[in-house]
Amino acid sequence: MAFSWLEEDPDRLHMRMALAEAEAARREGEVPVGAVVFHPERGIVGRAHNQKERLRDATAHAEILSLGQASVALDSWRLEGTTLYTTLEPCPMCAGAIVQARVSRVVFGALDPKAGAVESVLRIFAPGLFNHDVSWTAGVLAEECGAMLSKFFRDRRYEGDSERT
C-alpha cells in the first residue's frame, strides 16, 4: 500500500501544516495566518499562528512566533539552512526578521497586495539588498491560503453588518 502523503511535494506538505496553523488562528478569532519552520536535519523546529489579539502584541505574527520557536529548538538565532513556510506573503516586519535570522528560503501561499514585502508592495528579499539573501517560492497552495483569508474577512464584514442593524 502506497502512502500518497509520502509522495507529495515537500513544499505542499509543509504548506498544509502551515494551513493547519492558520485554521487554529481562525478558530481563535485571529487573522488566519500560519507558519512552519523546517530544518533539513531536524524537521519541524517551529510552528505557530497569528496571536496578535490573544497576546495583545502587534508583533505576534505567525512568522515571528515560529522563528522564535526555531531559535529555541536550534539553540541559535542563526537559522541558516531552514525554510519558513507561511500561508501569506510576509509583511515588512516579518521579512526583516527572516533576513535577520538568516533563514535560507521562504515559501508562501497567498500574495498580500496591501502589505506584502516579498513581491507585492516591497521587495525586501531582492538579491544583494542586505548582507544575507533569502530565496523564495510564491504561490504554493495559494488558492487554499487565499480562500481562508477571504472567507475570514468576508465573515467579519457580515458580522459587522448584522451588529449595526
Side-chain angles (χ1 to χ4, degrees), residues 140-154:
V140 174
L141 299 180
E143 190 171 311
E144 291 95 322
C145 295
M148 184 180 291
L149 285 158
S150 294
K151 181 176 182 342
F152 175 80
F153 287 113
R154 187 173 49 250

Side-chain angles (χ1 to χ4, degrees), residues 1-7:
M1 168 187 261
F3 294 100
S4 62
W5 58 270
L6 287 174
E7 298 167 7

Side-chain angles (χ1 to χ4, degrees), residues 5-162:
W5 58 270
L6 287 174
E7 298 167 7
E8 185 171 26
D9 169 54
D11 286 350
R12 292 173 58 88
L13 176 69
H14 293 110
M15 188 60 74
R16 289 192 196 292
M17 293 177 190
L19 274 164
E21 287 293 327
E23 174 59 23
R26 186 201 60 77
R27 285 192 309 270
E28 295 172 9
E30 300 276 357
V31 175
V33 176
V36 171
V37 180
F38 175 80
H39 185 276
E41 295 162 5
R42 303 266 310 269
I44 302 300
V45 291
R47 63 184 319 144
H49 55 272
N50 277 2
Q51 295 185 47
K52 285 172 57 173
E53 300 299 332
R54 182 173 151 244
L55 298 176
R56 294 177 178 85
D57 180 355
T59 67
H61 289 203
E63 298 91 335
I64 299 293
L65 297 172
S66 65
L67 290 173
Q69 290 177 6
S71 292
V72 169
L74 297 173
D75 195 27
S76 177
W77 62 267
R78 290 179 181 88
L79 303 180
E80 292 145 331
T82 62
T83 300
L84 184 142
Y85 294 86
T86 181
T87 58
L88 182 64
E89 179 181 6
C91 72
M93 174 183 69
C94 293
I98 289 163
V99 170
Q100 290 297 313
R102 311 294 196 267
V103 171
S104 295
R105 181 171 176 248
V106 170
V107 178
F108 64 88
L111 290 170
D112 185 351
K114 293 184 179 178
V118 179
E119 292 186 2
S120 297
V121 178
L122 299 173
R123 295 184 178 266
I124 291 179
F125 295 164
L129 191 59
F130 295 103
N131 63 330
H132 172 74
D133 287 339
V134 178
S135 67
W136 74 91
T137 302
V140 174
L141 299 180
E143 190 171 311
E144 291 95 322
C145 295
M148 184 180 291
L149 285 158
S150 294
K151 181 176 182 342
F152 175 80
F153 287 113
R154 187 173 49 250
D155 291 350
R156 291 199 62 181
R157 280 191 300 274
Y158 178 76
E159 289 169 10
D161 288 346
S162 65

